[in-house]
Amino acid sequence: MDKIALTNVRVFDGQRLLEPATVVIGGDRIGGDRADARTWDGGGGVLLPGLIDCHVHLTDDATLTALARNGVTTALDMGTESPELVASLRGRPGVTDVRSSGASATSPASAHAQRMGRASGLVADPDEARAYVARRVAEGVDYIKIIIDLPGFDEPTVRALVEAAHAHGLRAIAHAATSGAVLLGQAAGVDVLTHAPLDRSLEDAAVRRTRTSGEAVVPTLTMMEATAERLRGIAPVSYDVARAVVGDWYRAGVTVLAGTDANQAPFAPASPPYGSSLHHELELLVDAGLPAVDALRSATVLAAQYFGLADRGAIAAGKRADLVLIDGDPLADISAVSKIAAVWCGGIPVTDVPNQTAETR
Ligand SMILES: [Zn+2]
């Protein structure tokens, strides 16, 4: 594979932008001797670690390409029915790298299950919970996704899912889009809450508990904004509630991670686009109270750390060469993240990005 010396780039080191410097891309890794590398002038642009979207639903090749072109080099699937589809999208060179929960666990009594009208992933009681997790483990999933949609699951069933996940060394991620679902998830000991309540704010105690129990949150404000808009006048929901809860979580010291819920499911209340929605999510996180640096961290270093992706999330020698070159300073204006100049997925330049011409030294 080509070795490239990317010159004149300002690296985001997880805290600040460094002075213009050279980053060597040696095969699929960052680093190495630049002696035999082609030089590529980065034009003074800002180099970010490849972005991580902590909540998508897998669809097909085209959506992986859309993610990659928008700088999302890792996507964490939070619910895909077909293990064959997941397997076919894993480990593809030159596009977004994926992790997956496989099918999500749903109570047969929930509106979610009825809306989706599906047979797989239904979990009625603790015994079925253990069997469900064992099936996902056999498929090779990376974590367990639980849809807490009330009325539906009871606490013993969610707890059984969480305990079975933990017994297999996997994290349990809970869909919780109402304050009641957040409380049930917390009581059952889930590791990650995804979405944010649209119905009513969390009491201070619940906000603090998110912090003290070490839960991370993936608010998917992009999805909550679109859902609230869709349900306006139909259900008692408000985007302002979700936005305020995210601000409360952040100020309480909760780990906030970036995710969008990008999907193409016909039953979903909204379908954020793949890739570009993560840029919007970062803007919404800033609007909710995160400093730009923490919004960037939520989609890079923190996401990698929290999900155990030790080989990415930072620009350092030996890490996977997942890189995004952008035109503008995202710490001054987070919307600069959408000004993509070039993307590398595991050292492979993503095609059809308006790159500068490479010159040979
Ligand atoms: Zn989702």
Side-chain angles (χ1 to χ4, degrees), residues 55-57 77-79 104 112 145 147 175 194-195 220 223 260-263:
H55 189 147
V56 306
H57 296 272
D77 169 47
M78 292 294 165
S104 46
H112 224 95
K145 170 80 183 303
I147 296 180
H175 160 117
T194 185
H195 305 308
T220 69
M223 183 59 163
T260 62
D261 209 3
N263 73 81

Side-chain angles (χ1 to χ4, degrees), residues 68-113:
R69 286 180 182 169
N70 283 284
V72 179
T73 56
T74 303
L76 307 183
D77 169 47
M78 292 294 165
T80 294
E81 290 278 300
S82 162
E84 293 77 19
L85 175 64
V86 173
S88 76
L89 297 177
R90 282 186 188 270
R92 295 275 187 97
V95 290
T96 302
D97 197 32
V98 302
R99 298 291 183 275
S100 177
S101 65
S104 46
T106 310
S107 164
S110 70
H112 224 95

